[in-house]
Structures are given as structure tokens and as C-alpha cells.
Amino acid sequence: MRKILIVGGGYAGFYTAWTLEKKLRRGEAEVTLVDPRPYLTYQPFLPEVVAGSVEARHAAVSLRRHLRRTRIVAGMVTAIDHEHRVVTVRPADGDIVELGYDFVVVTAGAVTRTLPVPGVGERAIGLKHVEEAVAIRDTLLTAFDRAATLPPGPLRAKLLTVTFVGGGFSGVEGFGELLSLATALLRRYPELRRDELRFHLVEASGRILPEVTDRPGRWVVRSLERRGARVHLGTQVVSAAGGHVVLSSGEEFDSELIVWTTGNGANPVTGRHTDLPVDERGLIVVRPDLQVGTQAEPVPGAWAAGDDAAVPDLASPVPGARTVPNAQHAYRQGKLLARNIVATLRGRRPKEYVHRSLGTVATLGIGRGIFQYRRLVITGLPAWLLHRGYHVLAVPTWERKIRVLALWLTAALFGRDILSLASVQHPRQAFVAGGEPAVLAAKEPS
């Protein structure tokens, strides 16, 4: 049998494997998927995990449960040697192994882009994985508990200060949802005042949400500022050492929670550890049919899609445009890639990827959102309902759709859950302490 090896179990990789299972005849090919995590993260739900509107486990889809005919290998691909049709895999335990293949599908995704800013590596939390979303939520809840026991002063002010760096979709949605949670928490903490809560959103460019046009972007800024937030445009974080944030504008403040969402960087395996062709950003060069290479020089047996691939956007009027890295494209690219591999196996021509955007929708907290489709802009509650409706339909598998919808209905009746489980990050602390209460188990950010 032909061997198809998928590098990465994210959105594009999951849908490639899922569609291959449906399209391949039994015995036609063997599918292997390699990923260090045993689940797909549905990233559009991470801001709602931050706010407690979605259970963390419901934002993840088990690979082994839903990919029944695919071999799952738990490990990190560290190199792709396409000349010899082999990938190098570093498992969590044991020796490094090499896996051979006939077809390789590179859907390793992107990584959070970091900058050499003092203190960021030690203090900041990203927002790309479920674990990070949970840590952000628990850090805020723990900070509220600690601040409520302190008199007004520098430490209390630091605990009630939150800083998000990056004004893209991930940053703005996470910022808006966490602000919504923090505002709601004040009703449960009579010791704290609304004017003590300080939320800062720092963006290096002159605008936020580059996926929408200028006017809706300005509306989002005004909306956040009306809710008490500070939006720093055209500003960079110079230092975050010890939780002391220094901005390029000269402003300084202490912040207990710092969230870093400055966009995507090239995955190291595609940027530096493969002989497949990559562009200047470290993304794999692919043709419109998702085969690696160019029209003049295709690379047989190699395919790529998702955030680690420079996929030509045939629906864009701009020559040379590439599809933006989002779930909307990764989902459709993964399904088409699988169908194109099957077509190639059976001697048929693969089809080109063409998808016109369905619009852009973002949540800014419960009951608040923004939606744009071309010139049509919807804000407020209708946009928030559109956001929820779209994503409950888009999250993979009916099992996850039903679980998320049930949780939303429960929250509508009883309100959001404000329980912090920060202590699970230190499960042995109570045992080691001999039963002594570990009140400050999550004092330091993850």
C-alpha cells in the first residue's frame, strides 16, 4: 500500500486525515498522522475558554476518537527529508525514529511569533493552545482572590492590571472576552472597585484587526475604551521584566498578567529543517492545487496546507495574494488536499483551491461582537450571535457541537462558571506540604 504521512494534527491536518478515511478504498493507502498533542485545538474557541464560556476540553477534538483508520504517532517532527522520503520524529519518550512515506502532507501550522523583549519569555503567556487559555483564565481569577485580601496599594494595582500585546484577531478577541469576565467578576468581589481594574491592549501598528476595514476597526477601539480599557496604537512593549511593563510611548506600569499575541511565525520544521521549497517567510511554496512547488517545478509526492503553507489566493483580485492563516481556509484546504491526493492515486487531475471569504466575525465579550462581509458591517448582539452560530456549526464533529451548545444553554440559565483550578498546575503541592493549605499555589504565572 502507498503510505501517506501527515505532519501536524491541526485543523488542516485533521481534515485531511478525516477526509482521506472517507475517500480511500480499503487497502488503497495507509495514513499516518504525527503530532505531539493527541487532539486538535479549535482555536476560534480559545477566547471563550479564557472567559469560561466554553469548557477547555470542548475546544479540543480527540484525534484517536475520531480518526479510527489513521495511525496516530505522538511525537514532534524535527526534520523532513523529501529527497529520501523520510521524516525524523522525536517522541515524548524513547529514541528518535524515522518514518518513511510515499506522500507527505505538511500541515504543521505556525508558532507564536516572539520578539527579544526583556521579561517576555519569563512572564508572558501565549494564546494558541488550550493550556494557555486555561492559564490566562486561572491567573486572572487567582489575582482577584489575592487582590481582595489586600489594602489598596502597588501590589493590589498590579494584580488587577492585564496587558495584551498584539491587536490581531486572537489578541482582540481574547482581550474583549477577558475584559467581559473581569467586569462580571466585580459583582462577586465587593472589596474591589471598577476603577481599580486596568486593561491595556498594545499594538505596534496604527490600527487593530487588520482583517476588517478601517471604520469597523475604529469602532472596536471605541467600544473597548467605553468599557474602561486602554488601547495603545503605534506602541511597542520595550520591557516586561518582573512584570513591569515599559512602553515605547514612555508609559510604565506593573501587570500581573501579560498575554503575547503578536501574530504567527514560521514553524521551525518548515522554516529551517526541510529540503522542501520555502519562501522568504519560511512558508512552504505550494501551487493552487496544494501540491508543493510551482507550476513550472512541482515537487512530486509533497503537499501542504494551512498556516505553514503559502497558498495562492485565486479568489483575490490582488496578483500574487496568499490566503490568510485562519480556520476558514485551513478547513477547506484540508478537505480539498485529501481529495486531490485520492485523485492523484487514481490517475485524475487535482483541483485548484478557490474560496471566497464568508466574512469576518469576532467576539468582544458576551453580547458584543463585530461582523463584516464586504461593505456590510454588523456590530453588537447580532454579530455576537452570528459568531456563536457560525462556530458551533464549524467546530469538528457533532459530539463537540452538542457539548458546546449544551454548555452555552446552561450558562444562559445559571451564568458563567468563575471557579479557578489554578492548583491543578501544581498537583503535588498539597501532598508534599503534608495537607497544609496551598493558598498561593498559582502565585507565579505559568
Side-chain angles (χ1 to χ4, degrees), residues 106-171:
V106 186
T107 53
V111 298
T112 301
R113 183 179 61 190
T114 58
L115 299 174
V117 178
V120 167
E122 296 75 28
R123 303 287 306 188
I125 305 174
L127 186 51
K128 204 168 184 64
H129 302 289
V130 172
E131 303 93 328
E132 295 171 322
V134 172
I136 292 168
R137 168 182 161 80
D138 286 345
T139 300
L140 179 77
L141 293 172
T142 302
F144 264 69
D145 283 333
R146 294 172 60 195
T149 65
L150 294 171
L155 179 55
R156 177 159 153 163
K158 178 180 180 180
L159 290 169
L160 297 177
T161 300
V162 175
T163 305
F164 271 66
V165 185
F169 252 75
S170 178

Short mmCIF file of all heavy atoms in Angstrom, two decimals, residues 106-171:
data_model
loop_
_atom_site.label_atom_id
_atom_site.label_comp_id
_atom_site.label_asym_id
_atom_site.label_seq_id
_atom_site.Cartn_x
_atom_site.Cartn_y
_atom_site.Cartn_z
N VAL A 106 2.24 18.34 4.68
CA VAL A 106 2.80 19.20 5.72
C VAL A 106 1.73 20.19 6.16
O VAL A 106 1.39 21.13 5.44
CB VAL A 106 4.06 19.93 5.22
CG1 VAL A 106 4.70 20.70 6.38
CG2 VAL A 106 5.06 18.95 4.63
N THR A 107 1.20 19.95 7.35
CA THR A 107 0.19 20.83 7.95
C THR A 107 0.59 21.09 9.39
O THR A 107 -0.22 20.96 10.31
CB THR A 107 -1.21 20.18 7.88
OG1 THR A 107 -1.14 18.86 8.46
CG2 THR A 107 -1.70 20.07 6.45
N ALA A 108 1.86 21.45 9.57
CA ALA A 108 2.40 21.62 10.93
C ALA A 108 1.94 22.89 11.61
O ALA A 108 2.16 23.08 12.81
CB ALA A 108 3.94 21.59 10.86
N GLY A 109 1.30 23.79 10.86
CA GLY A 109 0.82 25.04 11.45
C GLY A 109 1.94 26.02 11.71
O GLY A 109 3.10 25.80 11.35
N ALA A 110 1.58 27.12 12.34
CA ALA A 110 2.55 28.16 12.68
C ALA A 110 2.78 28.18 14.18
O ALA A 110 2.10 27.50 14.94
CB ALA A 110 2.05 29.52 12.19
N VAL A 111 3.74 28.96 14.61
CA VAL A 111 4.02 29.12 16.04
C VAL A 111 3.85 30.60 16.39
O VAL A 111 3.82 31.46 15.52
CB VAL A 111 5.45 28.65 16.38
CG1 VAL A 111 5.62 27.17 16.09
CG2 VAL A 111 6.51 29.46 15.63
N THR A 112 3.70 30.88 17.69
CA THR A 112 3.57 32.26 18.12
C THR A 112 4.86 33.02 17.85
O THR A 112 5.95 32.57 18.21
CB THR A 112 3.25 32.31 19.63
OG1 THR A 112 2.03 31.61 19.87
CG2 THR A 112 3.08 33.75 20.09
N ARG A 113 4.74 34.16 17.22
CA ARG A 113 5.91 34.98 16.91
C ARG A 113 6.37 35.72 18.16
O ARG A 113 5.58 36.42 18.80
CB ARG A 113 5.58 35.99 15.81
CG ARG A 113 6.77 36.84 15.38
CD ARG A 113 6.37 37.79 14.27
NE ARG A 113 5.33 38.71 14.72
CZ ARG A 113 4.65 39.52 13.91
NH1 ARG A 113 4.87 39.48 12.62
NH2 ARG A 113 3.73 40.33 14.40
N THR A 114 7.61 35.54 18.53
CA THR A 114 8.14 36.21 19.70
C THR A 114 9.23 37.19 19.29
O THR A 114 9.84 37.06 18.24
CB THR A 114 8.74 35.19 20.70
OG1 THR A 114 9.75 34.43 20.04
CG2 THR A 114 7.66 34.26 21.23
N LEU A 115 9.45 38.17 20.15
CA LEU A 115 10.48 39.19 19.92
C LEU A 115 11.40 39.22 21.13
O LEU A 115 10.98 38.88 22.25
CB LEU A 115 9.83 40.56 19.70
CG LEU A 115 8.88 40.68 18.50
CD1 LEU A 115 8.20 42.04 18.50
CD2 LEU A 115 9.62 40.46 17.20
N PRO A 116 12.66 39.64 20.95
CA PRO A 116 13.61 39.67 22.07
C PRO A 116 13.35 40.83 23.03
O PRO A 116 14.17 41.75 23.17
CB PRO A 116 14.96 39.79 21.36
CG PRO A 116 14.66 40.52 20.10
CD PRO A 116 13.29 40.05 19.67
N VAL A 117 12.20 40.79 23.69
CA VAL A 117 11.84 41.83 24.66
C VAL A 117 12.13 41.30 26.06
O VAL A 117 11.65 40.23 26.43
CB VAL A 117 10.35 42.20 24.53
CG1 VAL A 117 9.96 43.24 25.58
CG2 VAL A 117 10.05 42.73 23.13
N PRO A 118 12.90 42.02 26.87
CA PRO A 118 13.23 41.54 28.22
C PRO A 118 11.98 41.22 29.04
O PRO A 118 11.03 42.01 29.09
CB PRO A 118 14.00 42.72 28.84
CG PRO A 118 14.56 43.46 27.67
CD PRO A 118 13.55 43.31 26.58
N GLY A 119 11.98 40.05 29.66
CA GLY A 119 10.89 39.66 30.55
C GLY A 119 9.77 38.91 29.89
O GLY A 119 8.99 38.23 30.58
N VAL A 120 9.63 38.99 28.56
CA VAL A 120 8.52 38.33 27.89
C VAL A 120 8.62 36.81 28.02
O VAL A 120 7.63 36.12 28.31
CB VAL A 120 8.45 38.75 26.40
CG1 VAL A 120 7.51 37.84 25.62
CG2 VAL A 120 7.97 40.19 26.29
N GLY A 121 9.82 36.28 27.80
CA GLY A 121 9.99 34.84 27.90
C GLY A 121 9.69 34.30 29.28
O GLY A 121 9.26 33.15 29.44
N GLU A 122 9.89 35.11 30.32
CA GLU A 122 9.68 34.66 31.69
C GLU A 122 8.26 34.94 32.19
O GLU A 122 7.76 34.21 33.05
CB GLU A 122 10.67 35.36 32.64
CG GLU A 122 12.14 35.03 32.39
CD GLU A 122 12.70 35.73 31.17
OE1 GLU A 122 12.20 36.83 30.83
OE2 GLU A 122 13.62 35.18 30.53
N ARG A 123 7.59 35.98 31.67
CA ARG A 123 6.32 36.41 32.25
C ARG A 123 5.11 36.20 31.37
O ARG A 123 4.00 36.02 31.88
CB ARG A 123 6.40 37.91 32.58
CG ARG A 123 7.51 38.31 33.51
CD ARG A 123 7.25 37.89 34.93
NE ARG A 123 5.96 38.35 35.44
CZ ARG A 123 5.59 38.23 36.71
NH1 ARG A 123 6.41 37.67 37.59
NH2 ARG A 123 4.41 38.67 37.12
N ALA A 124 5.27 36.23 30.05
CA ALA A 124 4.10 36.26 29.17
C ALA A 124 3.53 34.87 28.92
O ALA A 124 4.20 33.85 29.06
CB ALA A 124 4.47 36.91 27.84
N ILE A 125 2.25 34.84 28.56
CA ILE A 125 1.53 33.63 28.17
C ILE A 125 1.01 33.84 26.75
O ILE A 125 0.54 34.94 26.41
CB ILE A 125 0.35 33.34 29.11
CG1 ILE A 125 0.82 33.27 30.57
CG2 ILE A 125 -0.35 32.04 28.73
CD1 ILE A 125 -0.32 33.12 31.57
N GLY A 126 1.11 32.83 25.91
CA GLY A 126 0.56 32.93 24.56
C GLY A 126 -0.93 32.60 24.56
O GLY A 126 -1.53 32.34 25.61
N LEU A 127 -1.52 32.60 23.38
CA LEU A 127 -2.94 32.25 23.25
C LEU A 127 -3.13 31.45 21.95
O LEU A 127 -3.82 31.86 21.03
CB LEU A 127 -3.83 33.50 23.26
CG LEU A 127 -5.35 33.28 23.28
CD1 LEU A 127 -5.77 32.31 24.37
CD2 LEU A 127 -6.08 34.60 23.42
N LYS A 128 -2.48 30.28 21.91
CA LYS A 128 -2.55 29.45 20.72
C LYS A 128 -2.99 28.03 21.05
O LYS A 128 -3.37 27.27 20.16
CB LYS A 128 -1.18 29.42 20.03
CG LYS A 128 -1.25 29.10 18.54
CD LYS A 128 0.07 29.37 17.88
CE LYS A 128 -0.02 29.16 16.37
NZ LYS A 128 -0.93 30.09 15.71
N HIS A 129 -2.96 27.67 22.34
CA HIS A 129 -3.30 26.33 22.77
C HIS A 129 -4.27 26.38 23.95
O HIS A 129 -4.35 27.39 24.66
CB HIS A 129 -2.05 25.54 23.14
CG HIS A 129 -1.05 25.43 22.04
ND1 HIS A 129 -1.26 24.65 20.92
CD2 HIS A 129 0.15 26.01 21.85
CE1 HIS A 129 -0.23 24.75 20.11
NE2 HIS A 129 0.64 25.57 20.65
N VAL A 130 -4.99 25.30 24.17
CA VAL A 130 -5.97 25.23 25.25
C VAL A 130 -5.31 25.48 26.60
O VAL A 130 -5.86 26.20 27.46
CB VAL A 130 -6.67 23.85 25.24
CG1 VAL A 130 -7.54 23.68 26.48
CG2 VAL A 130 -7.52 23.70 23.99
N GLU A 131 -4.12 24.91 26.81
CA GLU A 131 -3.44 25.07 28.09
C GLU A 131 -3.18 26.54 28.40
O GLU A 131 -3.29 26.97 29.54
CB GLU A 131 -2.11 24.30 28.08
CG GLU A 131 -2.24 22.82 27.78
CD GLU A 131 -2.08 22.51 26.30
OE1 GLU A 131 -2.45 23.35 25.45
OE2 GLU A 131 -1.58 21.42 26.00
N GLU A 132 -2.84 27.31 27.37
CA GLU A 132 -2.57 28.72 27.57
C GLU A 132 -3.85 29.48 27.92
O GLU A 132 -3.84 30.36 28.80
CB GLU A 132 -1.93 29.31 26.32
CG GLU A 132 -0.55 28.73 26.02
CD GLU A 132 -0.01 29.15 24.67
OE1 GLU A 132 -0.80 29.24 23.71
OE2 GLU A 132 1.21 29.39 24.57
N ALA A 133 -4.94 29.16 27.25
CA ALA A 133 -6.22 29.82 27.54
C ALA A 133 -6.66 29.56 28.98
O ALA A 133 -7.13 30.46 29.68
CB ALA A 133 -7.29 29.34 26.55
N VAL A 134 -6.49 28.32 29.43
CA VAL A 134 -6.85 27.97 30.81
C VAL A 134 -5.96 28.72 31.80
O VAL A 134 -6.42 29.24 32.82
CB VAL A 134 -6.75 26.45 31.02
CG1 VAL A 134 -6.93 26.10 32.49
CG2 VAL A 134 -7.79 25.73 30.18
N ALA A 135 -4.65 28.80 31.49
CA ALA A 135 -3.72 29.50 32.38
C ALA A 135 -4.06 30.98 32.49
O ALA A 135 -3.96 31.57 33.57
CB ALA A 135 -2.29 29.32 31.88
N ILE A 136 -4.46 31.60 31.38
CA ILE A 136 -4.84 33.02 31.41
C ILE A 136 -6.05 33.22 32.31
O ILE A 136 -6.08 34.12 33.18
CB ILE A 136 -5.15 33.52 29.98
CG1 ILE A 136 -3.86 33.55 29.15
CG2 ILE A 136 -5.80 34.90 30.01
CD1 ILE A 136 -4.09 33.75 27.67
N ARG A 137 -7.06 32.39 32.15
CA ARG A 137 -8.27 32.49 32.96
C ARG A 137 -7.95 32.29 34.44
O ARG A 137 -8.36 33.07 35.30
CB ARG A 137 -9.28 31.45 32.47
CG ARG A 137 -10.46 31.22 33.38
CD ARG A 137 -11.36 30.13 32.80
NE ARG A 137 -12.25 29.57 33.79
CZ ARG A 137 -13.37 30.12 34.19
NH1 ARG A 137 -13.73 31.27 33.67
NH2 ARG A 137 -14.13 29.54 35.10
N ASP A 138 -7.20 31.23 34.76
CA ASP A 138 -6.90 30.94 36.15
C ASP A 138 -6.02 32.01 36.79
O ASP A 138 -6.15 32.31 37.98
CB ASP A 138 -6.22 29.58 36.27
CG ASP A 138 -7.20 28.42 36.07
OD1 ASP A 138 -8.42 28.68 36.13
OD2 ASP A 138 -6.75 27.28 35.85
N THR A 139 -5.10 32.59 36.01
CA THR A 139 -4.25 33.67 36.54
C THR A 139 -5.10 34.87 36.93
O THR A 139 -4.88 35.48 37.98
CB THR A 139 -3.19 34.07 35.50
OG1 THR A 139 -2.37 32.95 35.19
CG2 THR A 139 -2.32 35.20 36.02
N LEU A 140 -6.08 35.23 36.10
CA LEU A 140 -6.96 36.36 36.43
C LEU A 140 -7.79 36.06 37.67
O LEU A 140 -7.89 36.90 38.58
CB LEU A 140 -7.87 36.68 35.25
CG LEU A 140 -8.84 37.84 35.51
CD1 LEU A 140 -8.11 39.17 35.40
CD2 LEU A 140 -10.03 37.81 34.57
N LEU A 141 -8.39 34.87 37.73
CA LEU A 141 -9.23 34.53 38.87
C LEU A 141 -8.43 34.50 40.17
O LEU A 141 -8.88 34.98 41.21
CB LEU A 141 -9.90 33.18 38.63
CG LEU A 141 -10.93 33.14 37.49
CD1 LEU A 141 -11.39 31.72 37.22
CD2 LEU A 141 -12.13 34.02 37.81
N THR A 142 -7.23 33.95 40.11
CA THR A 142 -6.36 33.91 41.29
C THR A 142 -5.95 35.32 41.70
O THR A 142 -5.87 35.64 42.90
CB THR A 142 -5.12 33.05 41.01
OG1 THR A 142 -5.52 31.73 40.64
CG2 THR A 142 -4.23 32.97 42.24
N ALA A 143 -5.68 36.18 40.72
CA ALA A 143 -5.32 37.57 41.01
C ALA A 143 -6.45 38.30 41.73
O ALA A 143 -6.21 39.08 42.66
CB ALA A 143 -4.95 38.30 39.71
N PHE A 144 -7.69 38.05 41.33
CA PHE A 144 -8.84 38.66 42.01
C PHE A 144 -8.91 38.20 43.46
O PHE A 144 -9.16 38.99 44.37
CB PHE A 144 -10.12 38.31 41.26
CG PHE A 144 -10.57 39.36 40.29
CD1 PHE A 144 -9.83 39.60 39.13
CD2 PHE A 144 -11.70 40.12 40.50
CE1 PHE A 144 -10.23 40.56 38.22
CE2 PHE A 144 -12.11 41.09 39.61
CZ PHE A 144 -11.36 41.32 38.45
N ASP A 145 -8.71 36.89 43.69
CA ASP A 145 -8.76 36.37 45.06
C ASP A 145 -7.69 37.02 45.93
O ASP A 145 -7.93 37.38 47.09
CB ASP A 145 -8.56 34.85 45.04
CG ASP A 145 -9.82 34.11 44.60
OD1 ASP A 145 -10.93 34.65 44.79
OD2 ASP A 145 -9.69 33.00 44.06
N ARG A 146 -6.49 37.16 45.39
CA ARG A 146 -5.40 37.75 46.14
C ARG A 146 -5.62 39.24 46.39
O ARG A 146 -5.40 39.75 47.50
CB ARG A 146 -4.07 37.54 45.42
CG ARG A 146 -3.63 36.08 45.33
CD ARG A 146 -2.41 35.93 44.43
NE ARG A 146 -1.28 36.70 44.92
CZ ARG A 146 -0.20 36.97 44.19
NH1 ARG A 146 -0.12 36.56 42.93
NH2 ARG A 146 0.80 37.66 44.71
N ALA A 147 -6.08 39.95 45.35
CA ALA A 147 -6.29 41.39 45.47
C ALA A 147 -7.37 41.72 46.49
O ALA A 147 -7.29 42.74 47.20
CB ALA A 147 -6.65 41.98 44.11
N ALA A 148 -8.38 40.86 46.59
CA ALA A 148 -9.49 41.13 47.51
C ALA A 148 -9.06 41.09 48.97
O ALA A 148 -9.75 41.64 49.84
CB ALA A 148 -10.61 40.12 47.28
N THR A 149 -7.92 40.47 49.26
CA THR A 149 -7.44 40.39 50.64
C THR A 149 -6.43 41.48 50.98
O THR A 149 -5.99 41.57 52.13
CB THR A 149 -6.78 39.01 50.90
OG1 THR A 149 -5.59 38.89 50.09
CG2 THR A 149 -7.73 37.89 50.56
N LEU A 150 -6.07 42.30 50.01
CA LEU A 150 -5.04 43.31 50.20
C LEU A 150 -5.64 44.71 50.31
O LEU A 150 -6.69 45.00 49.70
CB LEU A 150 -4.05 43.30 49.02
CG LEU A 150 -3.19 42.04 48.85
CD1 LEU A 150 -2.45 42.12 47.52
CD2 LEU A 150 -2.22 41.91 50.01
N PRO A 151 -4.99 45.61 51.04
CA PRO A 151 -5.42 47.01 51.03
C PRO A 151 -5.00 47.66 49.73
O PRO A 151 -4.11 47.16 49.02
CB PRO A 151 -4.66 47.60 52.23
CG PRO A 151 -3.42 46.76 52.32
CD PRO A 151 -3.84 45.37 51.94
N PRO A 152 -5.62 48.77 49.35
CA PRO A 152 -5.19 49.48 48.13
C PRO A 152 -3.71 49.81 48.20
O PRO A 152 -3.20 50.25 49.23
CB PRO A 152 -6.06 50.74 48.13
CG PRO A 152 -7.28 50.35 48.91
CD PRO A 152 -6.79 49.42 49.99
N GLY A 153 -3.01 49.56 47.09
CA GLY A 153 -1.58 49.80 47.04
C GLY A 153 -0.98 49.25 45.77
O GLY A 153 -1.69 48.72 44.90
N PRO A 154 0.35 49.31 45.64
CA PRO A 154 1.00 48.87 44.41
C PRO A 154 0.75 47.41 44.06
O PRO A 154 0.53 47.09 42.88
CB PRO A 154 2.49 49.14 44.68
CG PRO A 154 2.50 50.18 45.73
CD PRO A 154 1.29 49.92 46.59
N LEU A 155 0.81 46.50 45.04
CA LEU A 155 0.62 45.08 44.74
C LEU A 155 -0.80 44.81 44.29
O LEU A 155 -1.03 44.07 43.33
CB LEU A 155 0.96 44.22 45.96
CG LEU A 155 0.78 42.70 45.77
CD1 LEU A 155 1.57 42.20 44.56
CD2 LEU A 155 1.18 41.94 47.03
N ARG A 156 -1.77 45.41 44.95
CA ARG A 156 -3.17 45.23 44.54
C ARG A 156 -3.39 45.79 43.13
O ARG A 156 -4.09 45.18 42.32
CB ARG A 156 -4.09 45.92 45.55
CG ARG A 156 -5.56 45.87 45.21
CD ARG A 156 -6.38 46.09 46.44
NE ARG A 156 -7.68 46.67 46.16
CZ ARG A 156 -8.70 46.66 47.02
NH1 ARG A 156 -8.56 46.10 48.21
NH2 ARG A 156 -9.86 47.21 46.72
N ALA A 157 -2.80 46.93 42.83
CA ALA A 157 -2.94 47.52 41.50
C ALA A 157 -2.32 46.61 40.44
O ALA A 157 -2.88 46.44 39.35
CB ALA A 157 -2.28 48.90 41.46
N LYS A 158 -1.17 46.00 40.75
CA LYS A 158 -0.52 45.10 39.81
C LYS A 158 -1.40 43.88 39.53
O LYS A 158 -1.56 43.45 38.38
CB LYS A 158 0.83 44.66 40.35
CG LYS A 158 1.57 43.67 39.44
CD LYS A 158 2.90 43.26 40.04
CE LYS A 158 3.62 42.26 39.12
NZ LYS A 158 4.92 41.84 39.69
N LEU A 159 -1.99 43.32 40.57
CA LEU A 159 -2.83 42.12 40.42
C LEU A 159 -4.05 42.40 39.55
O LEU A 159 -4.56 41.49 38.88
CB LEU A 159 -3.28 41.62 41.80
CG LEU A 159 -2.18 41.00 42.67
CD1 LEU A 159 -2.68 40.80 44.09
CD2 LEU A 159 -1.72 39.67 42.08
N LEU A 160 -4.53 43.63 39.54
CA LEU A 160 -5.74 43.97 38.78
C LEU A 160 -5.41 44.63 37.44
O LEU A 160 -6.27 45.23 36.82
CB LEU A 160 -6.62 44.90 39.62
CG LEU A 160 -7.16 44.29 40.91
CD1 LEU A 160 -7.96 45.31 41.71
CD2 LEU A 160 -8.00 43.05 40.63
N THR A 161 -4.16 44.47 36.99
CA THR A 161 -3.74 45.04 35.70
C THR A 161 -3.43 43.91 34.73
O THR A 161 -2.67 42.99 35.04
CB THR A 161 -2.50 45.93 35.86
OG1 THR A 161 -2.82 47.01 36.77
CG2 THR A 161 -2.08 46.52 34.52
N VAL A 162 -4.03 43.98 33.54
CA VAL A 162 -3.87 42.96 32.50
C VAL A 162 -3.34 43.64 31.24
O VAL A 162 -3.82 44.72 30.85
CB VAL A 162 -5.21 42.27 32.19
CG1 VAL A 162 -5.07 41.31 31.01
CG2 VAL A 162 -5.72 41.53 33.43
N THR A 163 -2.37 43.01 30.59
CA THR A 163 -1.78 43.56 29.37
C THR A 163 -1.80 42.53 28.26
O THR A 163 -1.30 41.41 28.43
CB THR A 163 -0.32 43.99 29.61
OG1 THR A 163 -0.27 44.90 30.72
CG2 THR A 163 0.25 44.66 28.38
N PHE A 164 -2.41 42.88 27.13
CA PHE A 164 -2.38 42.06 25.92
C PHE A 164 -1.49 42.77 24.91
O PHE A 164 -1.66 43.97 24.67
CB PHE A 164 -3.78 41.88 25.33
CG PHE A 164 -4.54 40.70 25.86
CD1 PHE A 164 -4.93 40.65 27.18
CD2 PHE A 164 -4.85 39.62 25.03
CE1 PHE A 164 -5.63 39.57 27.68
CE2 PHE A 164 -5.56 38.53 25.51
CZ PHE A 164 -5.95 38.50 26.84
N VAL A 165 -0.57 42.03 24.32
CA VAL A 165 0.33 42.59 23.32
C VAL A 165 -0.02 41.97 21.97
O VAL A 165 0.12 40.76 21.77
CB VAL A 165 1.80 42.31 23.67
CG1 VAL A 165 2.73 43.01 22.67
CG2 VAL A 165 2.12 42.74 25.09
N GLY A 166 -0.50 42.78 21.04
CA GLY A 166 -0.91 42.29 19.72
C GLY A 166 -2.38 42.56 19.48
O GLY A 166 -3.23 42.12 20.26
N GLY A 167 -2.69 43.27 18.41
CA GLY A 167 -4.06 43.65 18.12
C GLY A 167 -4.68 42.93 16.95
O GLY A 167 -5.58 43.45 16.30
N GLY A 168 -4.21 41.69 16.68
CA GLY A 168 -4.87 40.88 15.67
C GLY A 168 -6.12 40.23 16.24
O GLY A 168 -6.56 40.55 17.35
N PHE A 169 -6.70 39.29 15.48
CA PHE A 169 -7.95 38.68 15.93
C PHE A 169 -7.80 37.96 17.25
O PHE A 169 -8.63 38.09 18.15
CB PHE A 169 -8.48 37.72 14.85
CG PHE A 169 -9.69 38.25 14.16
CD1 PHE A 169 -9.56 39.27 13.22
CD2 PHE A 169 -10.94 37.77 14.46
CE1 PHE A 169 -10.67 39.79 12.60
CE2 PHE A 169 -12.06 38.29 13.84
CZ PHE A 169 -11.93 39.30 12.90
N SER A 170 -6.73 37.16 17.39
CA SER A 170 -6.54 36.41 18.62
C SER A 170 -6.43 37.33 19.82
O SER A 170 -7.07 37.10 20.86
CB SER A 170 -5.29 35.53 18.50
OG SER A 170 -5.05 34.82 19.69
N GLY A 171 -5.64 38.39 19.68
CA GLY A 171 -5.45 39.31 20.79
C GLY A 171 -6.70 40.08 21.15
O GLY A 171 -7.06 40.20 22.32
#
